[in-house]
Amino acid sequence: TWQYNIAGSYTQEFCGISIDGNTIATGAETGSTNAITIYVRSGSGTSATWASQQTWSVSGEPSVVLSGDGNTVAYGNYDATSNELSQCKVQVYQRSGTTWTQQTVPTPTQVTNNGTFPVHYGRVIGISNDGNRLVAGAYYLDHGSSNTNAGGVFVSDRSGSTWSTPTLVHYISASNLLGNDTTTSGKYGNFGYYCNISGDGNYIIAGKEQNGSPSSSYIFALVSGVWTEAVSYTHLRAHETDSYL
């Protein structure tokens, strides 16, 4: 049995690790100071050592995911104090050798927020193993005055170093229900409270949380280029990190 303690000057809040276990990404905050750090491992077993490869200072509160191959890190740089979707962004860094290069994911354009709450776009994100597809939730997103905080889940694809404008996979409303939903109103559905994507990028799990009431989760499959609901289930109150694929 062996373990390592990677100590830093920040409070580690989010982290990810590559499939081979040689790269770790952490997102951390201490008051107004926020940072993302990449650590790489040399050696194996008890003789292994870890070293910081890259650190970025970021604004907002970073939620971090690392692709399975360890070469793409994405973080949701959401602004918890802003009511505007345009202030919330997802950023990506891709590694070639030991150099990390920034890539910007466009902000979704399909919908805007009415200003009731911050949209929390990018608070929860997921990325495929090859780093070419990511999913992001925006669980306080509004869809018109009758669908306050209905939420939404977006997916974006990378071609080369360019990311597509995120596509809205789904949101919850009275006329846009899924699976076990029986509500007659989309208000406070908070869809996208948690989400993740499978390693091959072909499945998305996403769900909502409703003020302590039983919440619902949904699995979407990419079928002929269209995200289609495949499975849904209801469970007790979920947390924003309770998503696995």
Side-chain angles (χ1 to χ4, degrees), residues 30-55:
T30 300
S32 60
T33 304
N34 305 301
I36 295 169
T37 301
I38 302 295
Y39 297 93
V40 294
R41 182 177 65 173
S42 299
S44 61
T46 57
S47 62
T49 60
W50 288 89
S52 172
Q53 184 177 74
Q54 182 74 52
T55 297

Side-chain angles (χ1 to χ4, degrees), residues 14-17 23-27 36-39 64-66 73:
F14 294 91
C15 60
I17 189 168
T23 304
I24 290 175
T26 65
I36 295 169
T37 301
I38 302 295
Y39 297 93
V64 177
V65 292
L66 183 68
V73 60

Side-chain angles (χ1 to χ4, degrees), residues 190-209:
N190 298 146
F191 185 65
Y193 188 77
Y194 55 94
C195 61
N196 208 342
I197 193 167
S198 61
D200 62 9
N202 291 325
Y203 296 90
I204 289 173
I205 185 171
K208 62 180 183 176
E209 189 272 349

Side-chain angles (χ1 to χ4, degrees), residues 146-200:
S146 62
N147 293 306
T148 304
N149 300 337
V153 171
F154 297 86
V155 66
S156 182
D157 294 313
R158 180 173 62 185
S159 177
S161 61
T162 302
W163 287 90
S164 65
T165 299
T167 300
L168 180 64
V169 175
H170 200 84
Y171 72 94
I172 302 294
S173 74
S175 60
N176 205 31
L177 301 178
L178 286 170
N180 297 323
D181 283 332
T182 58
T183 180
T184 57
S185 172
K187 289 186 176 182
Y188 305 105
N190 298 146
F191 185 65
Y193 188 77
Y194 55 94
C195 61
N196 208 342
I197 193 167
S198 61
D200 62 9

